[in-house]
Structure formats: structure tokens, C-alpha cells
Amino acid sequence: MRVVVAGAGLAGLTAAVELVQAGAEVTVLEARGRVGGRMHGVRLDDGLVVDGGAAYLGIRHTELLRLVRECGLEVVSTPMSGDSTFLLSGRTTTTASRVPPLDAVALGDLFDKLEELVGQVRPDAPWLSPNAEPRDRLTVAQWLAEHLGHPDARTFFPLFLGEMMAADPSAISVLHMAFYLNSGGGIRYLNAFEGGAQQWRIDGGAHRLCEVLADRLGDRVRLGQPVSRIEQNVDGIVVQDGAGSRHHADEVVVAMPPLLAQRIDFRPGLRTPRATPATGRGCAVKVHLGYPAPIWREHGLSGWSVSTNGPLLSTVDDSPPDDSAGVLTGFVTGAAASAFSALSATGQRDAVLAHVGRLFPRLPRPTKYAVTDWLSDPHSMGCYAALFGPGDWLSLGPTLTEPHGHVHFAGTETSMEYFGLMEGAIRSGRRVAAELIRGDAAIPTSEEALAR
């Protein structure tokens, strides 16, 4: 069996390795000059690489933890010792809690409403959930206006949504929000460091996992070769890359974000789209600030912060485990990410440094600085994951994992478990590999049907 895998992110590489182990002849085509997709190591200093993309994992991410062990890698804890910092409406405060100093009753009411929504969605098929249609037509911003009256709840909610999903409330449906939070293990798990989804990082950077998988595949991985066309006929499949090279296959795995998969010229054409005009980019920019050491700890601070005004809506301590350097990672998400991405490099740097000066006035100026802008990345079109807008789950959900003839789809956005996370990417890659190894019947394209 000849298989072409389009995309050398975690899903594509996972599928490719398992197919090779089963005896398939595999070629992996990747548009970038590197592997990893939305897992990207950024060199902040000599010997210091930080996670520009996906970074965190927890105890429930069983397939990811197993793969980390198989690849000979280690996990390290995300440090959270010390007080949190909050910059709310221009006022900076510190507290031992991660809960911002806002009205506790209003925040409690917010989370009660969210828990109720999350509990009503079907994680295996959200489009079949009770009230799926009205909830998929309603944006989260509209839901917010109808259900949250207290100003503190309205202030906090976009910050929470940005941290969890890198989304602006106006860009996603209520059904998508509820499904995402359910799929990831629930609100409490997703939001937690110790015992939660942000408990650990992969030592040396999450991208190392993809590099190990790519090393196993060797010259089967071909970089700088974006897939532009996939043509199926009774004689097989021809995959054409951006340079005009043609690759012959019996089966194809498309392991790309939906917006990129939609750009491929499928012949015959797709019966149902991979994305719609409502499908959005994950709105995330990561900013890394380097210091000689995690100096904030000397002042009793954890490095964790939340701000109502950007650009850094939150920060976290991502220093290496030996404390040989200090690393603050800032997250610019939602509408703030779009505004930040539009600034010049100088404008971005000035805004970040001014903000950090307000958050942590006792810290010196950082010695290192890096920005990873996923919104402007043409080979990802956003991060953490694609955002399903109004109507998307009703139109896209039933066919997310359905093959198009001999073309199969992987990627974290096709996983009903841990959608948007590294765990979801691995599970999707293993699902597709298992389908091909078992020889599950392909769904005929219109051209195959005519050939009969």
C-alpha cells in the first residue's frame, strides 16, 4: 500500500510512523521547511528553546504521555509557586489565588452557567446534542449578552475564553465552546496547572516529539513541498505538490487544519467542505521574554498574570527546570491578537515592554524577546485550533472523519476527544492509520461511481 501523508505535524507524523510499521510505503509532504506544524521550537538564546506553539499536557493525555516515553523524552512541571498578578482596569494587584479579585458571586454564576452548557453537549457528536441547532447558530458574544449581566462576569469571560480557546466570543458558536470545553476534559481540568491540562511541558520543547518521529521516517519526509492538488481516478491517486511534482498513491492522509485542507484542489471535488466562510483562525500570538534567571520568584511572584487590557492577556513562567534562565511566556489571544498582529515589529515590542513594566515594575528589562504570530502563519492559519463559527458543527461535524474516496482526514480538529490539543492530534493520526491498516472501505467519489 502506497500512502501519501499531507502535513508533517503531530497527526501526520503519528499516522506515518504507524503505517510504516505496518509495512506501508509512505511519503510525507510538508509545506514548511521544518516538521511539527503548530508545535514549534523558538530559540530564545544559545541552548534555550521555548515552545512557540503547543506546550502543555496533563495526566489525562494518555496517548501523548505514552508517545513521549516511547520517544525517550521527559516532562517537566510548569512552575506555579508564588502569588498571581492581576492588571484589571488599570490597577495592579497580587494575590495567592489564581482567581482574579472580581465579584465572587458573579464569577460563580458564570461558571455554573458554563458547566450547565458543557454538561449538555455530546462529546462524540455535538451536532446531535439537545438544542444543538439554536446553540450552533448563536455566537458566544450573543449568549454572553443574554445571560451575563454583572460587569465583572463580562470583564472576565473574554479573558477566560482567550486562555482556553484563543477565541473571540463573536467568532465561535455556543455549541463549539461547549464541545471544546467538554472534549478537553471539562472546565476545571483545562484551567488547572497542578493535576490539570497545563501541569507539564516536554523537556526541551514539544517540537522535539515531532523531530523524533520525523527521524524515524528518515527521507520519507519531504520538506518544502506543499500539496496543491489531489486527483483520484480508477487507476489510483496522484498528489501534486507546489513545485509541480506528482506523487502516486493508493491512499492519502490529509493531516492539515481545515482552512488549509479546504484550499487543496480535490478532483473529484469534495462532497462536503472542510471549512466554511464562518470557520475562523485560532487567534493566538505567543511572546517570550528572557531574563538571566526567574527573578520574579525573588519577589514572591509565580509569573502568572491576567490583564484586562493587552497586549499580554496572560503570562506564565516557562523557565527551564534548572533555572538557568528566566522565561515569561505571554499570550495574546482573541481580538487582542488580531490587533497585535497588525502592529509593526517595533510597535509590538514597545507595547509588550510597556505592559510588562506595568505588570512587574520590579523586574529589569528582559534580555531576550521573541514573537510567534500564528495568525499570520500561512501554513497554519491560526493556533491553537480552527474556530468553528455559527452553523459549522451542523454542516461540518457529521463528515469530519468521513473519507473522500481514498482520501482520509486527520488532525486535532477531527478528534472528538481533546479537540485542539496535542492529545487530539495523536488520536486522530492513530485513527486514520488504523482505518488504512484494517482496510476499511473507502467512500466512493462521484468519478469512481461513474466508472462502475
Side-chain angles (χ1 to χ4, degrees):
M1 177 172 58
R2 300 168 301 169
V3 182
V4 169
V5 178
L10 185 55
L13 293 172
T14 298
V17 167
E18 300 218 345
L19 288 165
V20 167
Q21 290 172 346
E25 179 184 326
V26 176
T27 300
V28 181
L29 303 178
E30 167 56 44
R32 291 182 171 92
R34 62 170 180 83
V35 299
R38 289 170 283 189
M39 297 164 68
H40 178 36
V42 176
R43 185 169 298 279
L44 196 61
D45 201 355
D46 291 341
L48 178 59
V49 178
V50 294
D51 286 305
Y56 307 107
L57 63 152
I59 193 66
R60 298 186 191 178
H61 301 157
T62 53
E63 296 302 302
L64 176 55
L65 287 167
R66 179 157 68 96
L67 188 59
V68 167
R69 289 192 296 270
E70 289 175 357
C71 289
L73 302 175
E74 302 287 341
V75 297
V76 296
S77 296
T78 306
M80 280 298 293
S81 177
D83 288 348
S84 303
T85 303
F86 298 96
L87 178 55
L88 308 176
S89 302
R91 182 170 174 263
T92 303
T93 58
T94 60
T95 174
S97 172
R98 284 189 63 220
V99 179
L102 297 169
D103 187 279
V105 174
L107 296 188
D109 179 60
L110 163 62
F111 282 107
D112 286 345
K113 287 183 168 65
L114 285 175
E115 292 281 8
E116 183 180 3
L117 275 173
V118 171
Q120 292 175 357
V121 71
R122 280 185 54 171
D124 62 324
W127 58 92
L128 298 179
S129 302
N131 300 310
E133 183 169 357
R135 287 174 176 169
D136 201 33
R137 302 296 182 194
L138 190 70
T139 69
V140 174
Q142 291 168 327
W143 178 86
L144 177 66
E146 292 177 12
H147 293 277
L148 299 180
H150 198 286
D152 281 5
R154 291 174 178 266
T155 294
F156 176 73
F157 183 76
L159 305 177
F160 168 79
L161 195 68
E163 180 188 353
M164 293 295 97
M165 301 179 62
D168 183 276
S170 65
I172 60 174
S173 73
V174 173
L175 185 63
H176 182 60
M177 174 186 70
F179 163 75
Y180 187 99
L181 296 174
N182 190 320
S183 170
I187 295 170
R188 297 181 187 277
Y189 182 73
L190 277 171
N191 195 40
F193 283 85
E194 186 174 354
Q198 303 171 75
Q199 181 169 358
W200 297 307
R201 297 165 290 151
I202 297 175
D203 194 14
H207 67 286
R208 294 183 63 202
L209 189 61
C210 292
E211 291 176 349
V212 172
L213 295 177
D215 285 345
R216 291 181 180 177
L217 294 167
D219 60 8
R220 299 179 182 90
V221 179
R222 302 181 185 181
L223 303 178
Q225 296 190 25
V227 170
S228 58
R229 178 184 296 176
I230 299 174
E231 185 172 352
Q232 302 183 71
N233 56 48
V234 292
D235 297 320
I237 308 175
V238 176
V239 179
Q240 184 170 306
D241 64 33
S245 298
R246 295 163 63 86
H247 308 267
H248 296 270
D250 303 305
E251 308 283 346
V252 172
V253 175
V254 175
M256 296 180 180
L259 289 168
L260 290 178
Q262 185 64 24
R263 290 185 169 187
I264 296 173
D265 179 13
F266 290 94
R267 300 189 180 187
L270 295 172
R271 294 178 303 279
T272 55
R274 302 307 299 171
T276 77
T279 310
R281 307 180 183 209
C283 298
V285 179
K286 290 182 79 169
V287 178
H288 289 97
L289 304 171
Y291 298 84
I295 307 167
W296 46 92
R297 298 180 195 169
E298 299 173 6
H299 305 295
L301 301 176
S302 66
W304 165 258
S305 76
V306 172
S307 299
T308 51
N309 297 105
L312 307 181
L313 300 185
S314 64
T315 63
V316 66
D317 183 345
D318 275 340
S319 303
D322 61 2
D323 296 341
S324 57
V327 178
L328 279 179
T329 300
F331 293 83
V332 191
T333 56
S338 298
F340 185 77
S341 181
L343 295 175
S344 67
T346 300
Q348 290 178 347
R349 185 184 185 98
D350 290 346
V352 166
L353 295 180
H355 189 176
V356 172
R358 294 192 299 272
L359 276 172
F360 306 112
R362 300 170 72 181
L363 294 187
R365 189 180 181 91
T367 56
K368 303 294 178 182
Y369 168 88
V371 172
T372 308
D373 183 351
W374 291 101
L375 277 172
S376 64
D377 187 325
H379 301 307
S380 290
M381 299 185 72
C383 194
Y384 317 146
L387 303 177
F388 281 22
D392 271 351
W393 273 110
L394 294 175
S395 60
L396 302 177
T399 57
L400 274 179
T401 60
E402 184 179 280
H404 174 57
H406 293 275
V407 177
H408 305 256
F409 296 97
T412 189
E413 288 94 347
T414 69
S415 179
M416 297 295 100
E417 300 172 300
Y418 303 100
F419 179 107
L421 306 180
M422 292 183 283
E423 178 75 7
I426 293 171
R427 293 187 183 208
S428 77
R430 289 187 167 151
R431 169 187 55 78
V432 166
E435 289 174 2
L436 295 179
I437 292 166
R438 289 194 308 263
D440 289 358
I443 295 179
T445 65
S446 57
E447 187 162 316
E448 285 176 317
L450 288 173
R452 294 193 183 97

